[in-house]
Amino acid sequence: MIRDDEILRLLKKDPSRFLSGQEISRRLKVTRTAVWKRVNHLRALGYKIESLTRSGYRLIQAPDLLTPSEIRPLLTTKWMGRAIHYFQSIDSTNSKAYQLALQGAKEGEVVIAESQMEGRGRLGRRWFSPSFLNLYLSLILRPPIPPHRASLITLMAAVATADAIQNYSGLLPQIKWPNDVLLRGRKVAGLLNEIQSEMDRIHFVILGIGVNLNMDEKMFPKEIRNMATSLKRERGETVSRKDFLLSLLAALEGWYETFLKEGGSPVLEAWRGWAKIEGKRVSVSSFGENLSGVSVDIDSDGALILETEEGERRRIVAGDVKYQSESLSN
Ligand code: BTN
């Protein structure tokens, strides 16, 4: 049985040249019928492959799919994303990654899906996950840290996502506590992190990242249309999901290694740079309580420090923040 990436590697080597079925079958040590079947399978996935009776096959165009055969040869990471679990459709990449981690999947393995039937957001919300437009990814990490520091991993992932957006598009994102990534005040990416741990040791963290890449305004459900955006909408150009994924994995690997080597300080510093929360008027809902005041900073565990209207300092560990309109300018 030939793998897609083996045949694609041959066809991509010299895209202007036809490669005969005989040549492919000799190099991959399979029959010509097996080659022909695989070519038809690739066509069904959206690859445009020309065939000429005496000349063989030539790859004309590859679809923007996030399959391991498309991603693996282009990865610039050393270890992150080297094992990819790919699904055309799945309930939730986070749920799948959680199962895989329980079964012993290694640090750096990722689950990627073209669509999610039950994409999950923070605080029990749904994450809108239509096919072939966006990025839905869950990464398995096994950081050697105690559970109370796990939120630093979330901040690290938000920083890596903001970096990837800027590197890819040149646009300037903003992080909204704890880990929403915004463009011009609208949410472009969200993170859902789940951990499995005992009192003093994390077994694994599932870092779930959803980035709206190629959604047009009308594709968003009405309820979120004014609050959400996509990279395409902000940039005015279709995004190569493959290139964006490569850039995100590179940023995640770089930041995670920095975190492991240097601890939380560089992550917190970068997070502050993207979030600029100091002095912003915010309202916060946390565990059923509504507070408003001015955000002061985040502490070394990633909790939000809020000065309430009554002049009291509060430490918020989880919740939702809304910027009050006058402070939306940056
Ligand atoms: C949020 O509410 O902001 C978090 C959204 C996280 C969505 C991503 S998409 C990939 C991964 N799988 C899920 O079910 N959720 C996360």
Side-chain angles (χ1 to χ4, degrees), residues 136-149:
Y136 317 112
L137 161 125
S138 299
L139 170 65
I140 298 167
L141 294 177
R142 297 184 181 275
I145 55 170
H148 72 91
R149 304 199 72 220

mmCIF file with all atom_site columns, all heavy atoms in Angstrom, residues 136-149:
data_model
loop_
_atom_site.group_PDB
_atom_site.id
_atom_site.type_symbol
_atom_site.label_atom_id
_atom_site.label_alt_id
_atom_site.label_comp_id
_atom_site.label_asym_id
_atom_site.label_entity_id
_atom_site.label_seq_id
_atom_site.pdbx_PDB_ins_code
_atom_site.Cartn_x
_atom_site.Cartn_y
_atom_site.Cartn_z
_atom_site.occupancy
_atom_site.B_iso_or_equiv
_atom_site.pdbx_formal_charge
_atom_site.auth_seq_id
_atom_site.auth_comp_id
_atom_site.auth_asym_id
_atom_site.auth_atom_id
_atom_site.pdbx_PDB_model_num
ATOM 1   N N   . TYR A 1 136 ? -8.315  24.172 13.360 1.00 0.00 ? 136 TYR A N   1
ATOM 2   C CA  . TYR A 1 136 ? -8.744  23.588 14.627 1.00 0.00 ? 136 TYR A CA  1
ATOM 3   C C   . TYR A 1 136 ? -7.660  22.593 15.013 1.00 0.00 ? 136 TYR A C   1
ATOM 4   O O   . TYR A 1 136 ? -7.462  21.587 14.315 1.00 0.00 ? 136 TYR A O   1
ATOM 5   C CB  . TYR A 1 136 ? -10.081 22.850 14.487 1.00 0.00 ? 136 TYR A CB  1
ATOM 6   C CG  . TYR A 1 136 ? -11.083 23.616 13.657 1.00 0.00 ? 136 TYR A CG  1
ATOM 7   C CD1 . TYR A 1 136 ? -11.490 23.140 12.406 1.00 0.00 ? 136 TYR A CD1 1
ATOM 8   C CD2 . TYR A 1 136 ? -11.580 24.843 14.091 1.00 0.00 ? 136 TYR A CD2 1
ATOM 9   C CE1 . TYR A 1 136 ? -12.387 23.849 11.620 1.00 0.00 ? 136 TYR A CE1 1
ATOM 10  C CE2 . TYR A 1 136 ? -12.465 25.564 13.319 1.00 0.00 ? 136 TYR A CE2 1
ATOM 11  C CZ  . TYR A 1 136 ? -12.862 25.068 12.077 1.00 0.00 ? 136 TYR A CZ  1
ATOM 12  O OH  . TYR A 1 136 ? -13.724 25.778 11.306 1.00 0.00 ? 136 TYR A OH  1
ATOM 13  N N   . LEU A 1 137 ? -6.968  22.914 16.093 1.00 0.00 ? 137 LEU A N   1
ATOM 14  C CA  . LEU A 1 137 ? -5.787  22.138 16.421 1.00 0.00 ? 137 LEU A CA  1
ATOM 15  C C   . LEU A 1 137 ? -5.694  21.910 17.924 1.00 0.00 ? 137 LEU A C   1
ATOM 16  O O   . LEU A 1 137 ? -6.014  22.801 18.702 1.00 0.00 ? 137 LEU A O   1
ATOM 17  C CB  . LEU A 1 137 ? -4.594  22.972 15.942 1.00 0.00 ? 137 LEU A CB  1
ATOM 18  C CG  . LEU A 1 137 ? -3.219  22.697 16.474 1.00 0.00 ? 137 LEU A CG  1
ATOM 19  C CD1 . LEU A 1 137 ? -2.312  22.452 15.279 1.00 0.00 ? 137 LEU A CD1 1
ATOM 20  C CD2 . LEU A 1 137 ? -2.664  23.866 17.233 1.00 0.00 ? 137 LEU A CD2 1
ATOM 21  N N   . SER A 1 138 ? -5.272  20.702 18.316 1.00 0.00 ? 138 SER A N   1
ATOM 22  C CA  . SER A 1 138 ? -5.008  20.454 19.731 1.00 0.00 ? 138 SER A CA  1
ATOM 23  C C   . SER A 1 138 ? -3.649  19.811 19.860 1.00 0.00 ? 138 SER A C   1
ATOM 24  O O   . SER A 1 138 ? -3.330  18.858 19.142 1.00 0.00 ? 138 SER A O   1
ATOM 25  C CB  . SER A 1 138 ? -6.069  19.533 20.338 1.00 0.00 ? 138 SER A CB  1
ATOM 26  O OG  . SER A 1 138 ? -7.333  20.146 20.245 1.00 0.00 ? 138 SER A OG  1
ATOM 27  N N   . LEU A 1 139 ? -2.889  20.354 20.786 1.00 0.00 ? 139 LEU A N   1
ATOM 28  C CA  . LEU A 1 139 ? -1.497  19.935 20.964 1.00 0.00 ? 139 LEU A CA  1
ATOM 29  C C   . LEU A 1 139 ? -1.357  19.272 22.335 1.00 0.00 ? 139 LEU A C   1
ATOM 30  O O   . LEU A 1 139 ? -1.894  19.774 23.317 1.00 0.00 ? 139 LEU A O   1
ATOM 31  C CB  . LEU A 1 139 ? -0.643  21.211 20.879 1.00 0.00 ? 139 LEU A CB  1
ATOM 32  C CG  . LEU A 1 139 ? 0.809   21.158 21.248 1.00 0.00 ? 139 LEU A CG  1
ATOM 33  C CD1 . LEU A 1 139 ? 1.582   20.258 20.287 1.00 0.00 ? 139 LEU A CD1 1
ATOM 34  C CD2 . LEU A 1 139 ? 1.383   22.574 21.187 1.00 0.00 ? 139 LEU A CD2 1
ATOM 35  N N   . ILE A 1 140 ? -0.625  18.165 22.354 1.00 0.00 ? 140 ILE A N   1
ATOM 36  C CA  . ILE A 1 140 ? -0.403  17.467 23.632 1.00 0.00 ? 140 ILE A CA  1
ATOM 37  C C   . ILE A 1 140 ? 0.946   17.892 24.199 1.00 0.00 ? 140 ILE A C   1
ATOM 38  O O   . ILE A 1 140 ? 1.975   17.771 23.525 1.00 0.00 ? 140 ILE A O   1
ATOM 39  C CB  . ILE A 1 140 ? -0.420  15.927 23.419 1.00 0.00 ? 140 ILE A CB  1
ATOM 40  C CG1 . ILE A 1 140 ? -1.788  15.499 22.896 1.00 0.00 ? 140 ILE A CG1 1
ATOM 41  C CG2 . ILE A 1 140 ? -0.054  15.193 24.713 1.00 0.00 ? 140 ILE A CG2 1
ATOM 42  C CD1 . ILE A 1 140 ? -1.849  14.074 22.360 1.00 0.00 ? 140 ILE A CD1 1
ATOM 43  N N   . LEU A 1 141 ? 0.925   18.416 25.435 1.00 0.00 ? 141 LEU A N   1
ATOM 44  C CA  . LEU A 1 141 ? 2.176   18.801 26.098 1.00 0.00 ? 141 LEU A CA  1
ATOM 45  C C   . LEU A 1 141 ? 2.252   18.086 27.446 1.00 0.00 ? 141 LEU A C   1
ATOM 46  O O   . LEU A 1 141 ? 1.216   17.821 28.059 1.00 0.00 ? 141 LEU A O   1
ATOM 47  C CB  . LEU A 1 141 ? 2.239   20.316 26.309 1.00 0.00 ? 141 LEU A CB  1
ATOM 48  C CG  . LEU A 1 141 ? 2.328   21.175 25.056 1.00 0.00 ? 141 LEU A CG  1
ATOM 49  C CD1 . LEU A 1 141 ? 2.298   22.650 25.418 1.00 0.00 ? 141 LEU A CD1 1
ATOM 50  C CD2 . LEU A 1 141 ? 3.587   20.858 24.232 1.00 0.00 ? 141 LEU A CD2 1
ATOM 51  N N   . ARG A 1 142 ? 3.478   17.839 27.881 1.00 0.00 ? 142 ARG A N   1
ATOM 52  C CA  . ARG A 1 142 ? 3.663   17.207 29.192 1.00 0.00 ? 142 ARG A CA  1
ATOM 53  C C   . ARG A 1 142 ? 4.686   18.023 29.974 1.00 0.00 ? 142 ARG A C   1
ATOM 54  O O   . ARG A 1 142 ? 5.802   17.562 30.238 1.00 0.00 ? 142 ARG A O   1
ATOM 55  C CB  . ARG A 1 142 ? 4.127   15.749 29.018 1.00 0.00 ? 142 ARG A CB  1
ATOM 56  C CG  . ARG A 1 142 ? 3.072   14.877 28.295 1.00 0.00 ? 142 ARG A CG  1
ATOM 57  C CD  . ARG A 1 142 ? 3.498   13.421 28.225 1.00 0.00 ? 142 ARG A CD  1
ATOM 58  N NE  . ARG A 1 142 ? 2.516   12.593 27.529 1.00 0.00 ? 142 ARG A NE  1
ATOM 59  C CZ  . ARG A 1 142 ? 1.447   12.042 28.107 1.00 0.00 ? 142 ARG A CZ  1
ATOM 60  N NH1 . ARG A 1 142 ? 1.204   12.227 29.394 1.00 0.00 ? 142 ARG A NH1 1
ATOM 61  N NH2 . ARG A 1 142 ? 0.625   11.284 27.402 1.00 0.00 ? 142 ARG A NH2 1
ATOM 62  N N   . PRO A 1 143 ? 4.332   19.252 30.368 1.00 0.00 ? 143 PRO A N   1
ATOM 63  C CA  . PRO A 1 143 ? 5.314   20.123 31.019 1.00 0.00 ? 143 PRO A CA  1
ATOM 64  C C   . PRO A 1 143 ? 5.623   19.662 32.452 1.00 0.00 ? 143 PRO A C   1
ATOM 65  O O   . PRO A 1 143 ? 4.693   19.296 33.180 1.00 0.00 ? 143 PRO A O   1
ATOM 66  C CB  . PRO A 1 143 ? 4.619   21.491 31.037 1.00 0.00 ? 143 PRO A CB  1
ATOM 67  C CG  . PRO A 1 143 ? 3.169   21.172 30.990 1.00 0.00 ? 143 PRO A CG  1
ATOM 68  C CD  . PRO A 1 143 ? 3.025   19.896 30.215 1.00 0.00 ? 143 PRO A CD  1
ATOM 69  N N   . PRO A 1 144 ? 6.892   19.714 32.845 1.00 0.00 ? 144 PRO A N   1
ATOM 70  C CA  . PRO A 1 144 ? 7.255   19.266 34.196 1.00 0.00 ? 144 PRO A CA  1
ATOM 71  C C   . PRO A 1 144 ? 7.029   20.387 35.223 1.00 0.00 ? 144 PRO A C   1
ATOM 72  O O   . PRO A 1 144 ? 7.981   20.906 35.817 1.00 0.00 ? 144 PRO A O   1
ATOM 73  C CB  . PRO A 1 144 ? 8.755   18.948 34.045 1.00 0.00 ? 144 PRO A CB  1
ATOM 74  C CG  . PRO A 1 144 ? 9.215   19.842 32.932 1.00 0.00 ? 144 PRO A CG  1
ATOM 75  C CD  . PRO A 1 144 ? 8.047   20.101 32.040 1.00 0.00 ? 144 PRO A CD  1
ATOM 76  N N   . ILE A 1 145 ? 5.775   20.790 35.391 1.00 0.00 ? 145 ILE A N   1
ATOM 77  C CA  . ILE A 1 145 ? 5.459   21.888 36.315 1.00 0.00 ? 145 ILE A CA  1
ATOM 78  C C   . ILE A 1 145 ? 4.257   21.505 37.179 1.00 0.00 ? 145 ILE A C   1
ATOM 79  O O   . ILE A 1 145 ? 3.482   20.635 36.793 1.00 0.00 ? 145 ILE A O   1
ATOM 80  C CB  . ILE A 1 145 ? 5.119   23.204 35.544 1.00 0.00 ? 145 ILE A CB  1
ATOM 81  C CG1 . ILE A 1 145 ? 3.981   22.965 34.536 1.00 0.00 ? 145 ILE A CG1 1
ATOM 82  C CG2 . ILE A 1 145 ? 6.336   23.781 34.836 1.00 0.00 ? 145 ILE A CG2 1
ATOM 83  C CD1 . ILE A 1 145 ? 3.417   24.223 33.923 1.00 0.00 ? 145 ILE A CD1 1
ATOM 84  N N   . PRO A 1 146 ? 4.109   22.157 38.326 1.00 0.00 ? 146 PRO A N   1
ATOM 85  C CA  . PRO A 1 146 ? 2.929   21.857 39.149 1.00 0.00 ? 146 PRO A CA  1
ATOM 86  C C   . PRO A 1 146 ? 1.664   22.456 38.538 1.00 0.00 ? 146 PRO A C   1
ATOM 87  O O   . PRO A 1 146 ? 1.750   23.442 37.788 1.00 0.00 ? 146 PRO A O   1
ATOM 88  C CB  . PRO A 1 146 ? 3.259   22.528 40.491 1.00 0.00 ? 146 PRO A CB  1
ATOM 89  C CG  . PRO A 1 146 ? 4.281   23.552 40.184 1.00 0.00 ? 146 PRO A CG  1
ATOM 90  C CD  . PRO A 1 146 ? 5.017   23.104 38.970 1.00 0.00 ? 146 PRO A CD  1
ATOM 91  N N   . PRO A 1 147 ? 0.490   21.907 38.867 1.00 0.00 ? 147 PRO A N   1
ATOM 92  C CA  . PRO A 1 147 ? -0.759  22.349 38.231 1.00 0.00 ? 147 PRO A CA  1
ATOM 93  C C   . PRO A 1 147 ? -1.047  23.839 38.380 1.00 0.00 ? 147 PRO A C   1
ATOM 94  O O   . PRO A 1 147 ? -1.612  24.443 37.473 1.00 0.00 ? 147 PRO A O   1
ATOM 95  C CB  . PRO A 1 147 ? -1.834  21.528 38.948 1.00 0.00 ? 147 PRO A CB  1
ATOM 96  C CG  . PRO A 1 147 ? -1.131  20.389 39.555 1.00 0.00 ? 147 PRO A CG  1
ATOM 97  C CD  . PRO A 1 147 ? 0.290   20.748 39.767 1.00 0.00 ? 147 PRO A CD  1
ATOM 98  N N   . HIS A 1 148 ? -0.625  24.458 39.515 1.00 0.00 ? 148 HIS A N   1
ATOM 99  C CA  . HIS A 1 148 ? -0.997  25.875 39.682 1.00 0.00 ? 148 HIS A CA  1
ATOM 100 C C   . HIS A 1 148 ? -0.288  26.785 38.676 1.00 0.00 ? 148 HIS A C   1
ATOM 101 O O   . HIS A 1 148 ? -0.653  27.942 38.515 1.00 0.00 ? 148 HIS A O   1
ATOM 102 C CB  . HIS A 1 148 ? -0.749  26.344 41.129 1.00 0.00 ? 148 HIS A CB  1
ATOM 103 C CG  . HIS A 1 148 ? 0.701   26.504 41.483 1.00 0.00 ? 148 HIS A CG  1
ATOM 104 N ND1 . HIS A 1 148 ? 1.368   27.698 41.326 1.00 0.00 ? 148 HIS A ND1 1
ATOM 105 C CD2 . HIS A 1 148 ? 1.608   25.609 41.941 1.00 0.00 ? 148 HIS A CD2 1
ATOM 106 C CE1 . HIS A 1 148 ? 2.629   27.523 41.707 1.00 0.00 ? 148 HIS A CE1 1
ATOM 107 N NE2 . HIS A 1 148 ? 2.790   26.269 42.066 1.00 0.00 ? 148 HIS A NE2 1
ATOM 108 N N   . ARG A 1 149 ? 0.736   26.240 37.979 1.00 0.00 ? 149 ARG A N   1
ATOM 109 C CA  . ARG A 1 149 ? 1.428   27.058 36.978 1.00 0.00 ? 149 ARG A CA  1
ATOM 110 C C   . ARG A 1 149 ? 0.903   26.788 35.558 1.00 0.00 ? 149 ARG A C   1
ATOM 111 O O   . ARG A 1 149 ? 1.416   27.342 34.585 1.00 0.00 ? 149 ARG A O   1
ATOM 112 C CB  . ARG A 1 149 ? 2.944   26.808 37.033 1.00 0.00 ? 149 ARG A CB  1
ATOM 113 C CG  . ARG A 1 149 ? 3.518   27.066 38.433 1.00 0.00 ? 149 ARG A CG  1
ATOM 114 C CD  . ARG A 1 149 ? 5.003   27.269 38.402 1.00 0.00 ? 149 ARG A CD  1
ATOM 115 N NE  . ARG A 1 149 ? 5.354   28.548 37.828 1.00 0.00 ? 149 ARG A NE  1
ATOM 116 C CZ  . ARG A 1 149 ? 6.385   28.740 37.009 1.00 0.00 ? 149 ARG A CZ  1
ATOM 117 N NH1 . ARG A 1 149 ? 7.153   27.735 36.666 1.00 0.00 ? 149 ARG A NH1 1
ATOM 118 N NH2 . ARG A 1 149 ? 6.642   29.938 36.528 1.00 0.00 ? 149 ARG A NH2 1
#
